[in-house]
Amino acid sequence: MIREATFVKSSSKLEECPKTGLPEYVFLGRSNVGKSSLINMLVERNKLSKTSSKPGKTQLINHFIINQKLFFVDLPGYGWAKTSKKNRESWDKMTKNYLLNSDKIALIFILIDIRLKPQEIDIDYINYLGKNKLPVNLIFTKADKIKKSEIDKRIDEFTSSLSQYWSSIPNYFISSSLKKIGKKEIIKYIFEINENLVK
Ligand code: GDP
């Protein structure tokens, strides 16, 4: 279904982002959660989104145009243990400014490593988005790394740690870039939302 995926630009702040007005689907998560791999899986390209970018590098908002209809937005990952306070603060300022003030955001996907116990940094971030009434979906990544029987347990554990800011639990997907799990469902969902937006 994705015929065309092209890198458009990297922006250091909201004001520099493309102004074509197309809906934006944002991908966000802790560093190493598998965000680049997921984006590459969705668009069937190996290197559209660079994997394993190092901490401390310039933090940029990356726009990719999909089928001339919508943007995928790749935000820098959060949660590097070793990053400086200054880096963390500039990440926070940049991403929050973009998320709160871009009027093009159709949906924000927060990526969660399905292997881990609920991480405070993820929960806090998701609750922050909920409090600000932003549309959030979750994508649990690296599902190939745990047993099938563990998956539901992990998801229950995670979703029950979300706060009262959510009137219902955000919609979620299960993915593995390695095994190409979740690709069809995520793309279908994005295109469905997008069709409804342009109607
Ligand atoms: P990012 O920092 O969030 O962009 O994460 P990357 O996409 O660079 O992935 C971080 C590491 O996790 C890399 O070593 C990937 O090969 C690995 N990884 C990413 N997705 C998967 C997955 O679905 N399954 C497995 N087993 N490993 C993955």
Side-chain angles (χ1 to χ4, degrees):
M1 283 219 276
I2 293 188
R3 291 181 303 319
E4 203 185 352
T6 313
F7 170 72
V8 179
K9 73 181 292 199
S10 295
S11 314
S12 64
K13 53 182 181 231
L14 176 64
E15 293 70 28
E16 292 171 7
C17 290
K19 294 191 173 51
T20 47
L22 294 175
E24 302 185 341
Y25 297 81
V26 181
F27 295 86
L28 181 59
R30 294 169 64 230
S31 307
N32 222 39
V33 71
K35 181 163 54 71
S36 305
S37 307
L38 178 91
I39 293 175
N40 289 332
M41 168 179 84
L42 295 178
V43 301
E44 291 183 29
R45 295 263 293 274
N46 285 333
K47 287 185 187 147
L48 193 66
S49 176
K50 280 186 219 141
T51 42
S52 301
S53 47
K54 294 284 174 290
K57 268 201 188 163
T58 329
Q59 299 172 330
L60 297 166
I61 306 168
N62 296 301
H63 278 75
F64 303 93
I65 190 162
I66 308 295
N67 293 1
Q68 301 297 324
K69 276 197 168 160
L70 55 95
F71 287 119
F72 279 4
V73 180
D74 185 4
L75 288 185
Y78 53 86
W80 281 104
K82 286 192 189 127
T83 196
S84 66
K85 188 162 175 254
K86 200 166 144 240
N87 264 342
R88 255 202 310 272
E89 282 169 358
S90 81
W91 180 90
D92 221 47
K93 199 168 149 207
M94 195 235 342
T95 49
K96 286 182 176 167
N97 183 48
Y98 163 74
L99 293 168
L100 296 184
N101 298 312
S102 167
D103 52 1
K104 314 288 184 322
I105 295 174
L107 190 57
I108 302 162
F109 290 105
I110 302 288
L111 277 57
I112 309 291
D113 189 326
I114 201 160
R115 294 172 302 172
L116 308 179
K117 292 258 159 217
Q119 303 285 302
E120 200 179 331
I121 193 166
D122 291 327
I123 303 284
D124 286 352
Y125 212 79
I126 296 166
N127 286 337
Y128 171 83
L129 298 176
K131 195 174 161 186
N132 286 286
K133 309 241 176 312
L134 286 158
V136 169
N137 273 199
L138 308 177
I139 300 179
F140 292 94
T141 62
K142 309 192 187 183
D144 58 280
K145 292 244 193 183
I146 63 170
K147 287 197 217 112
K148 277 215 171 75
S149 56
E150 283 279 299
I151 289 181
D152 286 346
K153 236 192 292 174
R154 290 278 171 206
I155 293 175
D156 279 352
E157 194 181 9
F158 190 87
T159 51
S160 56
S161 2
L162 294 177
S163 82
Q164 73 278 11
Y165 297 123
W166 298 99
S167 50
S168 61
I169 292 303
N171 188 36
Y172 64 82
F173 297 90
I174 297 163
S175 78
S176 160
S177 308
L178 196 75
K179 296 264 172 75
K180 307 271 181 277
I181 296 168
K183 178 178 167 192
K184 255 198 339 221
E185 292 80 2
I186 296 168
I187 292 177
K188 185 164 171 264
Y189 191 73
I190 291 174
F191 282 137
E192 272 171 16
I193 294 181
N194 215 60
E195 289 302 315
N196 286 325
L197 282 179
V198 295
K199 257 181 205 159

